[in-house]
């Protein structure tokens, strides 16, 4: 059944628009086809090139390309030495993978609350959740905005914790002039198609520590090494010989994904500029709309925004978030909600997590909605989204 627009009239748009979309051009296609015609589909030079480019772009010493952002987070937790009995503090307002990676290692995710204005993890809440078992913090640059990195760094140093940054949303973002990737002990990127740069699937871990780098490399390829120095002293059998010295996984990326990511990365400055333009258009259009609460930015973050979120002010609107979401769909604008608090999921409930743990995150979750944001949107697309939001606000205004 088709839903009618709120006023029963014509929708703002004829053609459906989604909240995010990749932008693949001819140069990306050529890069992938070039690999398909080459000798290496995996473990080849395109992977090395991607790693070099990410390290150069971010300023980090080392980059390890992996098969997904989730694999990147898992490798980071392995390198951090997370195991049974260890606690890792993260945010509930994130994709499940930010916490699942701790469970993969037998550790316990501990949820700190968010700042209700920026939606990022609150350093004060991190500190309140530290126990003698805390080993690491996984801070998520939610929507692309950098977390309060100096504060988190100081907390981690004081309590000897590993600082992991889940930067799935924030490639291209700078914090105090430093690119994300060069701030935490380990930074994890995702190259899923909804993210700013895509390889179809893909991820990477960045670090400045040689020790962590070596652990990440082992973790992402079975714990197998060809490095004689790392071998345990087994006789060198011949040129074919390698050793498995820890338990790792196959988290390798393919060369055609790596080539696509490298090709996309050439356009990151342009993507960032266009994303920032669209954010500015939305900010200006919604600044005077009292029924909406906008995400606040910290001055330190020059954000390459992945998501644009509007929060409904429930005291000024007669509709529920669901009604607003459906009304946007009826205007042919497909929004999304980022995210259901992770510990609300049945799996986490069965592990003993209860609703009410993080009141700020729960309150924000109840009112938010991500509206379309991707660089290929035309100005007209942006105006359509603004018109639809304003139309629905007017209709449900108290
Ligand atoms: C997308 C995402 C991930 C997981 O990345 P995949 O590449 O899909 O595995 C992790 N954390 C956050 C915050 C994400 O948005």
């Amino acid at each position: 059944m088709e839903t009618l627009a709120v006023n029963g009239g014509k929708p703002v748009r004829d053609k459906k628009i989604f909240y995010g979309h990749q932008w693949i051009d001819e140069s990306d296609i050529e890069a992938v086809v070039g690999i398909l015609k080459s000798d290496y589909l995996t473990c080849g030079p395109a992977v090395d090139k991607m790693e070099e480019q990410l390290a150069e772009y971010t300023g980090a010493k080392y980059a390890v390309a992996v098969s997904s952002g989730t694999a990147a987070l898992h490798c980071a937790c392995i390198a951090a030495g997370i195991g049974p009995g260890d606690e890792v503090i993260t945010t509930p307002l994130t994709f499940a993978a930010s916490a699942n990676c701790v469970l993969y290692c037998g550790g316990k995710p501990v949820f700190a609350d968010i700042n209700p204005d920026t939606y990022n993890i609150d350093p004060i809440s991190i500190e309140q959740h530290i126990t003698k078992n805390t080993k690491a913090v996984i801070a998520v640059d939610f929507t692309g905005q950098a977390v309060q990195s100096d504060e988190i760094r100081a907390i981690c140093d004081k309590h000897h914790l590993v600082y992991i940054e889940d930067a799935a949303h924030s490639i291209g973002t700078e914090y105090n002039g430093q690119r994300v990737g060069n701030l935490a002990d380990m930074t994890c990127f995702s190259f899923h198609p909804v993210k700013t740069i895509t390889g179809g699937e893909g991820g990477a871990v960045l670090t400045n520590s040689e020790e962590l780098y070596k652990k990440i490399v082992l973790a992402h390829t079975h714990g197998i090494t060809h490095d004689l120095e790392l071998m345990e002293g087994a006789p060198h059998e011949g040129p074919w010989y390698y050793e498995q010295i820890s338990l790792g996984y196959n988290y390798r990326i393919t060369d055609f994904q790596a080539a696509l990511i490298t090709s996309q990365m050439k356009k990151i400055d342009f993507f960032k500029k266009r994303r920032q333009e669209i954010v500015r258009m939305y900010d200006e259009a919604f600044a005077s709309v009292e029924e909406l609460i906008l995400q606040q930015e910290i001055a330190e973050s020059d954000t390459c925004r992945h998501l644009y979120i509007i929060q409904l002010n429930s005291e000024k609107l007669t509709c529920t978030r669901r009604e607003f979401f459906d009304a946007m769909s009826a205007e042919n604008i497909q929004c999304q909600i980022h995210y259901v608090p992770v510990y609300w999921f049945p799996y986490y409930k069965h592990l003993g997590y209860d609703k009410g743990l993080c009141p700020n995150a729960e309150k924000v979750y109840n009112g938010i909605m991500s509206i379309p944001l991707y660089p290929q949107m035309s100005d007209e697309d942006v105006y359509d989204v603004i018109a639809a939001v304003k139309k629905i606000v007017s209709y449900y205004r108290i």
Side-chain angles (χ1 to χ4, degrees):
M1 195 188 80
E2 202 169 331
T3 339
L4 283 175
V6 278
N7 55 11
K10 237 170 70 68
V12 162
R13 290 179 63 86
D14 296 330
K15 194 168 169 284
K16 204 165 192 76
I17 186 173
F18 292 90
Y19 85 89
H21 199 275
Q22 72 273 15
W23 189 350
I24 302 293
D25 67 16
E26 282 305 316
S27 68
D28 296 321
I29 293 167
E30 274 171 28
V32 172
V33 172
I35 298 296
L36 295 177
K37 292 176 176 169
S38 78
D39 289 331
Y40 292 96
L41 298 186
T42 189
C43 303
V47 176
D48 297 337
K49 207 169 146 193
M50 171 185 159
E51 292 175 341
E52 282 161 23
Q53 186 199 34
L54 285 175
E56 193 191 349
Y57 176 77
T58 58
K61 263 203 191 128
Y62 305 99
V64 183
V66 294
S67 53
S68 69
T70 305
L73 286 163
H74 188 188
C75 288
C77 285
I78 293 168
I82 305 306
D86 295 337
E87 295 175 3
V88 178
I89 298 173
T90 192
T91 170
L93 200 65
T94 184
F95 184 60
S98 313
N100 287 345
C101 57
V102 179
L103 296 176
Y104 296 158
C105 292
K108 181 182 172 198
V110 173
F111 296 97
D113 209 349
I114 59 165
N115 175 307
D117 301 320
T118 66
Y119 311 156
N120 266 334
I121 194 165
D122 183 349
I124 295 167
S125 184
I126 292 178
E127 203 147 29
Q128 286 166 349
H129 285 84
I130 291 173
T131 71
K132 64 180 192 333
N133 297 321
T134 310
K135 280 282 165 61
V137 171
I138 300 177
V140 180
D141 300 319
F142 182 65
T143 74
Q145 172 171 209
V147 289
Q148 288 169 264
S149 201
D150 285 348
E151 287 87 339
I152 296 172
R153 170 93 273 163
I155 291 167
C156 288
D157 287 350
K158 183 172 154 200
H159 298 274
H160 309 290
L161 311 178
V162 181
Y163 173 18
I164 299 168
E165 190 169 357
D166 179 343
H169 295 184
S170 61
I171 195 162
T173 291
E174 290 177 20
Y175 174 86
N176 276 339
Q178 287 248 38
R179 287 205 172 122
V180 164
N182 195 15
L183 295 161
D185 294 317
M186 288 177 276
T187 304
C188 300
F189 289 136
S190 163
F191 302 108
H192 182 279
V194 299
K195 311 292 162 73
T196 297
I197 297 292
T198 188
E201 297 278 358
V205 191
L206 287 95
T207 183
N208 286 317
S209 153
E210 187 181 0
E211 189 188 340
L212 291 172
Y213 168 71
K214 285 182 172 169
K215 289 179 179 167
I216 298 159
V217 169
L218 281 174
H220 96 298
T221 178
H222 309 281
I224 283 173
T225 186
H226 294 266
D227 184 344
L228 282 172
E229 278 183 23
L230 293 179
M231 292 189 192
E232 295 219 337
H236 190 228
E237 304 268 332
W240 63 86
Y241 189 72
Y242 54 76
E243 272 186 1
Q244 186 192 341
I245 59 171
S246 62
L247 185 62
Y249 297 80
N250 177 356
Y251 281 160
R252 293 187 304 262
I253 195 167
T254 66
D255 274 56
F256 44 94
Q257 289 170 302
L260 179 53
I261 290 161
T262 301
S263 174
Q264 288 253 301
M265 277 300 290
K266 291 179 185 156
K267 292 169 281 197
I268 182 122
D269 293 341
F270 165 71
F271 285 166
K272 176 176 177 176
K273 187 166 158 280
R274 182 62 187 151
R275 284 178 176 274
Q276 288 185 329
E277 275 170 11
I278 298 169
V279 166
R280 213 172 305 127
M281 288 164 81
Y282 281 149
D283 280 346
E284 281 169 17
F286 301 141
S288 57
V289 181
E290 288 179 359
E291 292 79 5
L292 301 178
I293 300 161
L294 301 183
Q295 183 184 5
Q296 300 297 305
E297 287 234 2
I298 56 170
E300 293 87 343
S301 182
D302 171 25
T303 306
C304 179
R305 196 78 81 80
H306 161 55
L307 298 172
Y308 193 94
I309 288 183
I310 55 172
Q311 189 185 162
L312 309 183
N313 186 339
S314 59
E315 285 161 20
K316 296 190 184 247
L317 288 164
T318 59
C319 62
T320 61
R321 189 257 304 270
R322 176 66 197 270
E323 283 166 331
F324 202 105
F325 181 91
D326 289 345
M328 288 293 281
S329 296
E331 302 291 346
N332 279 320
I333 295 165
Q334 194 55 59
C335 297
Q336 183 55 276
I337 311 300
H338 299 94
Y339 293 93
V340 177
V342 172
Y343 60 80
W344 281 18
F345 290 129
Y347 188 79
Y348 278 82
K349 187 171 151 44
H350 301 323
L351 290 176
Y353 294 84
D354 287 322
K355 280 198 176 185
L357 272 181
C358 299
N360 291 342
E362 294 186 13
K363 178 163 186 293
V364 165
Y365 162 71
N366 283 324
I368 54 176
M369 193 175 313
S370 304
I371 62 175
L373 174 62
Y374 53 89
Q376 213 172 3
M377 285 177 85
S378 65
D379 285 357
E380 286 67 35
D381 290 334
V382 180
Y383 296 139
D384 284 348
V385 176
I386 291 169
V389 168
K390 288 190 167 175
K391 177 178 170 182
I392 298 164
V393 164
S394 303
Y395 186 80
Y396 286 116
R397 183 172 276 145
I398 284 177

